[in-house]
Amino acid sequence: MNAPHNPAQAKVDQVKLLIDGQWVESKTTEWRDIVNPATQQVLARVPFATVEEVDAAVAAAQRAFASWRDTPIGARMRIMLKLQALIREHSKRIAQTLSAEQGKTIADAEGDIFRGLEVVEHAASIGTLQMGEFAENVAGGVDTYTLRQPIGVCAGITPFNFPAMIPLWMFPMAIVCGNTFVLKPSEQDPLSTVMLVELALQAGVPAGVLNVVHGGKQVVDAICTHKDIKAISFVGSTEVGTHVYNLASQHGKRVQSMMGAKNHAVVLPDANRTQTVNALVGAAFGAAGQRCMATSVAVLVGKAREWLPDIKAAASQLKVNAGCEPGTDVGPVVSKRAKERVLGLIESGIREGATLELDGREVSVPGYEQGNFVGPTLFSGVTTEMQVYTQEIFGPVLVTLEVDTLDEAIALVNRNPFGNGTGLFTQSGAAARKFQSEIDVGQVGINIPIPVPVPYFSFTGSRGSKLGDLGPYGKQVVQFYTQTKTVTARWFDDDSVNDGVNTTISLR
């Protein structure tokens, strides 16, 4: 909950805004505590920036664009090369902060950073990604070619669950294309994001090219409606993502909005049993289920329904503890409010008639009794009308459904409104080919539980999980952050023949 600044907490660090290359203290009266979810310790306080401060950040980005857009591609690439080296050098330090503010295990925090780092590395190849096309002699002495040019000031709004990876999906690709950027990190865990921005400045990103503002809905709306912002990238909940897409689109902006999910894993009885069970448990309960690509539904086909005891046994062996503790498999969820929501949905599953195979509601962690812990929770006997199926739980809860055939499983997945990711576990090439062809989901894994593409490709969620036709990173994001200019040119020698006046639209 937001609260006015309390002088008694003056010793707690206050997160600053980055405007025009300077870290400045906000003049706001509205602040939020950044809380360690395992201990409830207040790590720092983050300001909810004023509209005037958002305007100042955008104005700085607008001024910087005039020169940054003309900075040679090679110079921009070298900044990305320096940034990726700095991230590697400081990744363990950033991971410690990320774990403390978000709750992830150290290993998962390092993975969060690494998946973002991959995009920074790909940004260093912008020289080939931003190339246009050329066709010689499309008519007599006429050539046509295209230029991919930056569009101006862009903005990014990021979620709490990946405070390193998602910002690194956004600002490096935007600025390496020649744009300037205003970043709004999650107000729940901005500290590790700020550390990455500090490294970007150290790598040589000029003043005003990258700016940071903090806040909630007022700041989001100010970004969505600002006349000088050309494009907005959003990752987060469906409710907020739909609002961002609609509001920003109404104000003439390009928008990519990656939103909620209900990811299914379809298990055929011919799959490798041990590997499949391990994959399901890791994808369902890793990061306490707080991944938009988490596997939250297992569809057991035919005799694969007999594997339920194996799934339960593997899940029950996971160690719940603070993320900083060695050997932790499942850390806390991000906040008390998040825990209450997860517990409420578990209660709804029991009330609606599902069978609670594994109950994580009463887990207690010695030394961390105040933590927001929910243990691995497993339901069977779930139907598609139950809230534990229809709602994105965003906690360590896996529900199982049973069908008789692969065709039934495909139909079940396709009826779900979300289309972020899905997986099939099988040893049949024919079944895999049928599945990837007929499934109506943007990202498909074959014996892969979390099919997030590498940066050479693009993140391709679909249907209720995505608004906008271009995804973050990869080739698609270069299209998103640039505009195509087509040039048709003819040059004449001084002694060239005069063809006379042409009153048609044809070239000759």
Side-chain angles (χ1 to χ4, degrees):
M1 180 177 293
N2 306 325
H5 175 55
N6 183 352
Q9 293 181 300
K11 292 184 179 180
V12 176
D13 288 341
Q14 296 182 4
V15 182
K16 296 182 178 180
L17 311 175
L18 177 63
I19 299 176
D20 204 15
Q22 300 295 317
W23 293 102
V24 297
E25 293 186 1
S26 175
K27 292 180 171 58
T28 187
T29 59
E30 189 177 3
W31 297 77
R32 177 178 179 143
D33 290 342
I34 302 168
V35 178
N36 183 319
T39 65
Q40 306 309 315
Q41 175 193 0
V42 177
L43 303 175
R45 290 174 63 80
V46 62
F48 278 41
T50 65
V51 171
E52 292 76 19
E53 288 167 337
V54 175
D55 289 342
V58 176
Q62 184 78 344
R63 291 191 299 271
F65 179 64
S67 57
W68 180 245
R69 65 173 297 169
D70 293 328
T71 300
I73 288 178
R76 291 186 242 141
M77 289 169 57
R78 284 187 287 275
I79 290 174
M80 291 299 113
L81 287 169
K82 178 65 173 176
L83 176 57
Q84 66 85 24
L86 287 170
I87 293 173
R88 287 184 180 277
E89 179 184 348
H90 294 279
S91 61
K92 291 191 179 299
R93 177 174 65 90
I94 299 170
Q96 293 284 345
T97 297
L98 196 160
S99 176
E101 65 175 343
Q102 201 276 341
K104 292 187 179 186
T105 67
I106 296 297
D108 197 28
E110 290 176 346
D112 186 333
I113 297 164
F114 179 75
R115 290 310 300 265
L117 175 64
E118 290 181 315
V119 176
V120 180
E121 293 171 339
H122 196 228
S125 60
I126 194 63
T128 53
L129 294 175
Q130 204 170 345
M131 290 170 59
E133 300 174 310
F134 187 97
E136 184 181 29
N137 219 36
V138 297
V142 177
D143 305 323
T144 298
Y145 52 94
T146 60
L147 310 173
R148 300 206 69 90
Q149 296 184 323
I151 57 178
V153 181
C154 302
I157 301 165
T158 66
F160 76 85
N161 58 329
F162 284 95
M165 182 182 77
I166 303 296
L168 291 177
W169 281 8
M170 294 182 183
F171 76 79
M173 291 303 299
I175 65 179
V176 82
C177 286
N179 302 290
T180 54
F181 206 79
V182 177
L183 176 65
K184 195 213 83 69
S186 169
E187 66 277 14
Q188 296 190 74
D189 50 9
L191 299 178
S192 47
T193 307
V194 166
M195 295 170 76
L196 292 167
V197 171
E198 289 172 342
L199 295 182
L201 300 183
Q202 187 178 337
V205 173
V209 171
L210 177 58
N211 305 271
V212 179
V213 294
H214 304 283
K217 184 178 184 299
Q218 182 184 38
V219 172
V220 168
D221 288 356
I223 289 171
C224 291
T225 59
H226 201 289
K227 62 181 179 60
D228 291 328
I229 291 178
K230 305 300 183 184
I232 297 174
S233 181
F234 171 88
V235 177
S237 72
T238 298
E239 179 183 4
V240 179
T242 302
H243 171 75
V244 167
Y245 182 84
N246 290 338
L247 184 60
S249 297
Q250 289 167 10
H251 286 79
K253 307 184 190 317
R254 296 184 182 185
V255 189
Q256 52 176 214
S257 186
M258 314 306 296
M259 307 182 298
K262 197 70 177 181
N263 305 311
H264 300 67
V266 175
V267 181
L268 298 186
D270 72 333
N272 182 294
R273 188 161 178 162
T274 300
Q275 291 180 350
T276 300
V277 168
N278 289 339
L280 288 176
V281 170
F285 305 119
Q290 297 175 122
R291 296 171 176 149
C292 66
M293 289 292 289
T295 297
S296 54
V297 181
V299 183
L300 307 180
V301 180
K303 290 187 176 181
R305 68 190 67 194
E306 299 172 3
W307 298 11
L308 184 63
D310 297 35
I311 299 171
K312 177 179 177 179
S316 65
Q317 295 301 310
L318 296 178
K319 181 179 179 182
V320 180
N321 207 335
C324 61
E325 296 291 346
T328 299
D329 298 304
V330 180
V333 294
V334 71
S335 66
K336 287 187 176 297
R337 181 178 179 182
K339 178 179 178 178
E340 290 170 0
R341 181 178 183 277
V342 173
L343 295 181
L345 284 166
I346 294 173
E347 292 289 346
S348 78
I350 299 170
R351 187 171 59 252
E352 293 176 355
T355 300
L356 186 60
E357 300 281 352
L358 185 63
D359 188 353
R361 290 174 295 172
E362 300 300 329
V363 65
S364 179
V365 179
Y368 297 96
E369 287 80 7
Q370 301 303 310
N372 309 321
F373 295 101
V374 180
T377 299
L378 177 65
F379 277 107
S380 65
V382 174
T383 67
T384 56
E385 294 78 28
M386 294 178 179
Q387 289 188 68
V388 289
Y389 178 78
T390 60
Q391 299 292 312
E392 183 178 26
I393 299 175
F394 230 60
V397 181
L398 176 65
V399 304
T400 62
L401 289 82
E402 299 176 0
V403 297
D404 293 326
T405 67
L406 177 59
D407 284 327
E408 291 179 64
I410 291 172
L412 186 153
V413 176
N414 285 347
R415 284 195 301 270
N416 190 279
F418 292 109
N420 213 26
T422 189
L424 175 70
F425 289 86
T426 183
Q427 296 190 67
S428 167
R433 193 172 189 278
K434 174 183 175 67
F435 185 82
Q436 70 185 35
S437 175
E438 297 181 11
I439 207 72
D440 186 15
V441 174
Q443 294 163 133
V444 179
I446 305 298
N447 298 312
I448 298 288
I450 303 179
V452 178
V454 294
Y456 323 122
F457 295 85
S458 297
F459 193 94
T460 51
S462 62
R463 296 194 284 145
S465 295
K466 177 184 178 183
L467 292 171
D469 61 344
L470 296 172
Y473 70 77
K475 295 178 181 178
Q476 288 188 16
V477 86
V478 176
Q479 292 177 266
F480 182 75
Y481 285 129
T482 61
Q483 55 192 350
T484 301
K485 181 180 290 182
T486 305
V487 180
T488 303
R490 169 185 277 167
W491 296 94
F492 298 98
D493 295 329
D494 289 342
D495 57 352
S496 60
V497 176
N498 186 346
D499 292 332
V501 176
N502 179 8
T503 60
T504 74
I505 62 171
S506 63
L507 296 170
R508 47 183 191 187

